[in-house]
Amino acid sequence: MGSESTDPVDKKPARDEPPHYHGHRERLRARFHDAGADALSDYELLEMALFAALPRRDTKPLAKALLKRFGSFAEVVHAPENLLREVDGIGEASITQLKLLAAAAGRIAKGEIKRSLALSSWNDVIAYCRSDMAFAEKEQFRILFLDKRNQLIADEVQQTGTVDHTPVYPREVIKRALELSATAVILVHNHPSGDPSPSQADIQMTKAIIGIASPLGISVHDHIIVGKNGHASLKGMRLNLACAPARLRAFTIR
C-alpha cells in the first residue's frame, strides 16, 4: 500500500528540472475548459481530480490503476475506503479528494430531486438513488416520501443490514409516512452483489406495504432496486403487486 507522504516520486523536483507531467496537466486543464468534461475520458477526469491531492506527482498511472481495480469513475469515487487503500499510491489525501467528489455528487443529485417534481423527473430519481446507494457494501432500505404533488418531503434510510439482507418493518414505513403527512412513497434498496433483480422476499415485502398503505390513502409508486450493474423497477417489470392482506410482521429483503 502506497502513501503520498512517503512515495519518493511525490518529492518536489529540483528547480532546473521541471516535472515531465507539467505540460500534460496544463494541456488537460485547457481541454477541460475549452471542450468540457465530455471531451475527457474517465481516467483523465480522475487525473484532474487527484491534482490537488498529489501536486507533485504524475496522476495518470494512479488514475488508470484505480479504474482497472474498480471499473468506472463512479465506482472509484464510491469505493469503500479500505479497498481504496489497497491500491498502490493511494493515501489519505487522495481518499479525501475522492470522497469529496462522491459527497458533492450526492448533494447535487439530492438538490435536483428536491427542486423538481419527482415523477416528472424519473431519470433523476434513478440517478440519485444509484449515486447514493449502488456501491454501498451493505444493504440499505430507504424511502422517498412524497406529497400530493409528488414533491419530495423527506428521504430517509430506514434500515441498514448486511451484505445480502436487511430487515424491513411495514408498520414502521407507514407510521413514518403518516407522521410526515405523505400521500405517496417510493421504496428503494440496494443489492451489494451488483445484480438488481428482485427476490421473492423483495416482492412479498412490497405487496405487504401496499396492502397496509392503500386503505390509508398512501400510494406506493414503486420499489426500485439499485446495484452497480443497473437498476430494477418493480412497477416497470409489471409484476403483480396487488394488495396483499395487511400483515405487520417484519420482512427480510435479499
Side-chain angles (χ1 to χ4, degrees):
M1 180 177 68
S3 170
E4 291 95 331
S5 59
T6 58
D7 192 332
V9 300
D10 197 30
K11 292 181 179 179
K12 188 175 182 179
R15 290 186 178 181
D16 57 347
E17 297 179 7
H20 69 280
Y21 53 83
H22 179 75
H24 172 69
R25 285 193 175 196
E26 293 306 314
R27 289 190 294 272
L28 202 57
R29 288 189 181 104
R31 187 145 57 92
F32 177 78
H33 289 298
D34 295 342
D38 288 343
L40 274 63
S41 64
D42 276 5
Y43 84 81
E44 288 172 323
L45 284 176
L46 272 177
E47 279 188 73
M48 294 190 68
L50 293 168
F51 283 174
L54 299 168
R56 295 185 295 275
R57 280 181 55 185
D58 181 1
T59 58
K60 181 190 288 187
L62 182 55
K64 289 188 173 182
L66 286 165
L67 285 172
K68 183 178 180 180
R69 171 68 175 80
F70 297 106
S72 70
F73 187 94
E75 287 172 292
V76 169
V77 301
H78 287 94
E81 293 186 16
N82 63 306
L83 297 184
L84 287 171
R85 290 190 180 93
E86 294 177 0
V87 178
D88 188 44
I90 282 286
E92 296 308 312
S94 298
I95 290 173
T96 299
Q97 188 74 3
L98 293 173
K99 291 305 166 187
L100 178 62
L101 289 176
R107 189 70 59 87
I108 291 168
K110 190 170 185 177
E112 289 299 320
I113 292 295
K114 286 185 175 180
R115 286 195 297 269
S116 64
L117 290 177
L119 294 186
S120 66
S121 308
W122 199 245
N123 288 337
D124 289 340
V125 174
I126 299 297
Y128 167 57
C129 293
R130 291 203 71 230
S131 70
D132 209 46
M133 298 176 68
F135 307 105
E137 291 185 288
K138 296 181 179 180
E139 271 200 15
Q140 296 178 351
F141 177 68
R142 77 192 304 150
I143 310 165
L144 307 184
F145 298 94
L146 310 175
D147 66 16
K148 63 182 179 181
R149 296 180 298 165
N150 286 325
Q151 287 187 312
L152 188 68
I153 298 173
D155 165 20
E156 298 178 355
V157 175
Q158 191 184 63
Q159 295 289 334
T160 298
T162 67
V163 295
D164 60 2
H165 69 275
T166 190
V168 174
Y169 304 91
R171 176 173 56 188
E172 295 302 316
V173 173
I174 304 308
K175 177 183 176 183
R176 186 59 177 150
L178 293 172
E179 289 173 349
L180 293 169
S181 299
T183 58
V185 296
I186 298 173
L187 312 175
V188 189
H189 83 278
N190 64 310
H191 282 177
S193 67
D195 181 5
S197 302
S199 67
Q200 282 302 310
D202 298 336
I203 296 169
Q204 291 304 315
M205 179 272 291
T206 307
K207 289 182 177 181
I209 292 178
I210 291 173
I212 301 168
S214 215
L216 299 173
I218 300 172
S219 299
V220 178
H221 284 326
D222 204 349
H223 184 173
I224 301 167
I225 305 171
V226 298
K228 62 183 178 181
N229 297 330
H231 75 275
S233 159
L234 269 64
K235 180 180 179 181
M237 296 174 71
R238 301 184 183 280
L239 299 173
N240 179 15
L241 299 178
C243 298
R247 292 177 293 176
L248 301 184
R249 66 180 178 89
F251 285 78
T252 299
I253 55 176
R254 299 180 182 272

